[in-house]
Amino acid sequence: MTSVSAFLAPEDLQASGSGPLYVKLQQALEDAIHSGRLKGGDALPPERDLAEYANISRVTVRKAVDELVRQGKLVRRHGSGTFVSRPMEKVEQSLSRLTSFTEDMARRGLSTRAEWLERGLFTPSPDEMVMLGLPAGGMVARLGRLRIADDNPLAIERASISAEFLPDPENVHTSLYAALEARNVQPVRAIQRISARTVREHEADLLDVAAGSAGLAIERISYLSSGKVVELTRSLYRGDAYDFVAELTLG
Amino acid sequence: MTSVSAFLAPEDLQASGSGPLYVKLQQALEDAIHSGRLKGGDALPPERDLAEYANISRVTVRKAVDELVRQGKLVRRHGSGTFVSRPMEKVEQSLSRLTSFTEDMARRGLSTRAEWLERGLFTPSPDEMVMLGLPAGGMVARLGRLRIADDNPLAIERASISAEFLPDPENVHTSLYAALEARNVQPVRAIQRISARTVREHEADLLDVAAGSAGLAIERISYLSSGKVVELTRSLYRGDAYDFVAELTLG
DNA sequence: GGTTAATGGTATTTTTTTGGTATTGTATTT
DNA sequence: AAATACAATACCAAAAAAATACCATTAACC
């Protein structure tokens, strides 16, 4: 929403004769935020646009914005823009579709990034050999990532894939599913197991929470139509920041 | 379908003056995908063709495509082309079978019983008034139970139902759904929200775990076909004793 | 099997947009 | 008249956007 008139009416500024211009603009902006016309994460129009629209100078606009930045209601980014602050909210993921984390977050307008914890080919653990049904001597590709949404660490995700399906894990840069699809590997069935457990110490470090706090553990196994196991992914989400939503249609 | 003009109209790009070029192209491509002009598996025209057609540089085209790849909507293959992903959505799923606690436990071969914690008509809390959409002066039926499997307390379950649908909670002895069905109240849709949180002290007592340990919190809201809210149920499962399993069918 | 054309991948540079700041003018208050 | 708050102008710096030029991989063709 970059158009000024979309959330600012002219009468908001010229009405009620007395009082400094910057105070009126400040109140108008506060009102737009509280009423929801400007939501968390939205970009404010450029200062120059605001100034032109309100027929006041840019410095006056800045003084109004300054105060709201001081109050923490707006955030400035040099060269980029000014944005409405967004308190850390719980994000949700729908169970009824198996989509990639990134796609899911993007749909909610959250910027996400990931830091690699582990990426490469390894000798499988006994656990992986059984779950993935690996042949003797087979290798396993491991992709460990720390998922970050809006600068808040949100989840630790560890995926194991048989090297048969992903011989070049180093080349996975974005979505695991995209990488698999590029190799024509398309799972058709998946089972998710959701449970709660306490966060261990080294995990707490990564997630920026206290050790022992509650985390949502999700284990997913996906299968090809042939029945072969493609992927085993174990994720641990921050309990205070993540909701899993399932929508059911009953008989 | 490799011809650009087949799915991209020139006005899609030059219209609506403001905004970066790459965003416009991105939206145009998204639109083409969602509208079905580009189907899953289709090859996108080469980046150079797109650039020439839109009169923008190839890097700008790439930036638009980059974002869609990041969202998982497109897949790149070096030296080959860029393709529309076959989305892994369209999930028909068997989540409904997960809703019945008793059935779920029976499948695991566990005998279950319940102890009543609370059962009766009450003046609704503000929370309940909002979630259930109660009329002014309306009452609410509350059913609080401690679920026990094989002599181990497993979950605390608290249900709130508008008295309109359940005026006689004292007569509920087994399943809530059976009681509702007996009154011809049949929810057709439900939303479950699953999260993890620490167990509070009075809850820990009931569940026979240490206070502060991890619990699986499930909130379920079910609706009639009319959209009316029937039931709001909040459950807290012992994190160490319960898994929530969902099976998904893709494609 | 090598050649080659077509495709995506990347590094570098230039231009445009955006917030940041110093200076000056103007009205209000003291 | 001095001091203060307010507002306008002009210029600076950072970031994003866009363009250019060149590299790497694939696949088709001979």
Side-chain angles (χ1 to χ4, degrees), chain B residues 153-205:
Chain B
L154 195 56
I156 300 170
E157 183 183 286
R158 293 180 188 280
S160 303
I161 307 99
S162 167
E164 175 189 356
F165 300 120
L166 191 72
D168 55 345
E170 297 294 345
N171 290 331
V172 175
H173 292 104
T174 56
S175 160
L176 165 61
Y177 284 116
L180 286 174
E181 181 156 356
R183 304 186 62 88
N184 264 317
V185 177
Q186 294 206 349
V188 295
R189 201 166 65 91
I191 291 182
Q192 293 198 123
R193 174 180 302 241
I194 306 166
S195 57
R197 67 172 175 86
T198 53
V199 176
R200 292 187 252 280
E201 199 155 346
H202 68 279
E203 297 165 339
D205 273 356

Side-chain angles (χ1 to χ4, degrees), chain A residues 169-229:
Chain A
E170 298 292 345
N171 289 330
V172 175
H173 292 105
T174 56
S175 159
L176 164 62
Y177 286 118
L180 287 174
E181 175 156 357
R183 306 186 63 88
N184 269 315
V185 176
Q186 295 203 351
V188 297
R189 202 166 65 90
I191 292 183
Q192 294 197 95
R193 173 181 299 243
I194 305 167
S195 57
R197 68 172 174 84
T198 53
V199 176
R200 293 187 250 282
E201 198 156 346
H202 68 279
E203 297 165 339
D205 268 358
L206 291 169
L207 293 176
D208 197 20
V209 296
S213 59
L216 199 62
I218 301 180
E219 182 179 287
R220 182 175 59 208
I221 301 179
S222 32
Y223 304 84
L224 291 185
S225 56
S226 67
K228 269 196 176 179
V229 175

Side-chain angles (χ1 to χ4, degrees), chain B residues 46-48 58 62 76 78 82:
Chain B
E47 297 174 350
R48 289 169 177 82
R58 208 189 120 209
R62 280 183 62 78
R76 281 207 173 100
H78 195 161
T82 303

